[in-house]
Amino acid sequence: MSSLKRPRRRTARTAAVGALAAAACATVMTGGAGAIVNGSDATERYPFMAVIPISAPEAGLTDGNCGASLIDRQWVLTAAHCVRGEGIEPAGTVRIGSGHRKSGGTVRRIDRTFVHPGYANGDDKAANRNDIALIRLDRPVTERPIEIAGQPGPPGTPTRLLGFGTTVEGEYAFPDRLRQLDARRGAASACAPGYADRTRLCTISTVPRAMACHGDSGGPQIRRDRHGRWQLIGVTSGPGTPNVPCTQGPGLYTSAPAYTHWIAHTMRTNSPDSPS
């Protein structure tokens, strides 16, 4: 993606920087997203929600973050551009299970990161591809992981976006408390041509002028299963339309269900207990 800039454009790098969700961290969502603009304070506890402290000094960001989701006691899932972005400097820790950005929950060190081998950072005219990465924590946590859904659901499926991204579009104004936004799956045609596909979910806010933005990158898009339990369907990646403010276009989310085989294989072959 393009080089890091102050939050005047939404690029996956800026989202990471502001985030950098950035939905629902390194080049702000290139399409990128931040704490959800025009969202609301979280209405319940999300033990699987994780936040990754990040800085991007060249972009003027010294206290940013990306989101992530706990999918195993020792693994979190995030966006690739949150851990492999030009100018991005992860602090080396992850906070899990807290409703506050800088306190509570469980803090673990980042042991190793695994970026999808097909990851390609987009630019102002293209979306990120294979924007997904795994982080292995140095020790397991006691918080309950979220299950990855078997399918993301058809267009129109109600979803929810979570994040600590900016609450003010165009600024690095990260909230202390976790924010949420109700949304729905959109048809691929609701995003710009070539943006959404089987691996990238077009997402529409159900609230006017609201969407994930800088700092929300890597965070979860979730939906309820038939028993009312939250399942993970998306990873905040960037905007679904180029060159528009976060709140004036759809969001683009990497489909977690589309990468279950890569996720399972990576975790299995890189488990701390697996033979070296």
Side-chain angles (χ1 to χ4, degrees):
M1 303 184 126
S2 56
S3 59
L4 285 171
K5 298 181 180 295
R6 294 184 182 277
R8 54 191 179 86
R9 292 195 305 182
R10 299 192 329 164
T11 61
R13 185 167 300 159
T14 304
V17 171
L20 258 148
C25 295
T27 306
V28 174
M29 300 166 54
T30 326
I36 297 168
V37 179
N38 290 331
S40 62
D41 287 342
T43 56
E44 60 185 271
R45 183 171 181 267
Y46 301 97
F48 53 84
M49 180 67 199
V51 60
I52 307 168
I54 284 176
S55 63
E58 294 180 7
L61 180 68
T62 59
D63 184 25
N65 51 262
C66 270
S69 301
L70 182 74
I71 60 169
D72 177 88
R73 301 288 183 182
Q74 200 167 351
W75 293 83
V76 298
L77 189 69
T78 189
H81 75 261
C82 286
V83 296
R84 184 184 289 176
E86 182 180 338
I88 297 300
E89 299 179 5
T93 61
V94 180
R95 184 180 301 277
I96 304 105
S98 178
H100 296 270
R101 189 168 78 97
K102 302 181 76 172
S103 64
T106 302
V107 177
R108 290 286 186 264
R109 289 188 298 103
I110 294 174
D111 186 25
R112 287 188 63 185
T113 61
F114 302 86
V115 174
H116 191 280
Y119 167 61
N121 202 353
D123 55 26
D124 288 346
K125 297 181 180 180
N128 299 328
R129 293 184 178 277
N130 301 305
D131 190 13
I132 194 166
L134 281 161
I135 292 175
R136 190 175 74 192
L137 307 175
D138 65 327
R139 289 176 293 144
V141 298
T142 59
E143 281 80 6
R144 183 176 180 176
I146 188 171
E147 179 182 64
I148 297 176
Q151 297 292 334
T157 297
T159 68
R160 179 168 291 177
L161 315 180
L162 303 175
F164 288 99
T166 184
T167 55
V168 181
E169 192 158 51
E171 298 181 14
Y172 295 142
F174 306 121
D176 172 62
R177 295 185 61 184
L178 179 64
R179 306 279 285 179
Q180 67 182 43
L181 176 67
D182 286 336
R184 62 178 172 83
R185 278 222 49 214
S189 58
C191 281
Y195 271 54
D197 55 24
R198 185 185 68 84
T199 65
R200 297 176 294 187
L201 310 176
C202 190
T203 300
I204 309 296
S205 171
T206 59
V207 178
R209 297 185 59 79
M211 183 47 67
C213 200
H214 313 310
D216 290 319
S217 289
Q221 179 177 29
I222 56 180
R223 72 171 176 86
R224 293 191 186 276
D225 65 13
R226 61 181 181 175
H227 302 293
R229 296 171 300 204
W230 291 116
Q231 291 186 316
L232 181 68
I233 67 166
V235 177
T236 309
S237 180
T241 301
N243 301 316
V244 297
C246 299
T247 59
Q248 294 184 21
L252 197 66
Y253 285 72
T254 302
S255 172
Y259 291 91
T260 52
H261 292 300
W262 175 77
I263 291 169
H265 175 77
T266 301
M267 288 172 35
R268 182 175 63 254
T269 57
N270 293 281
S271 167
D273 299 325
S274 63
S276 57

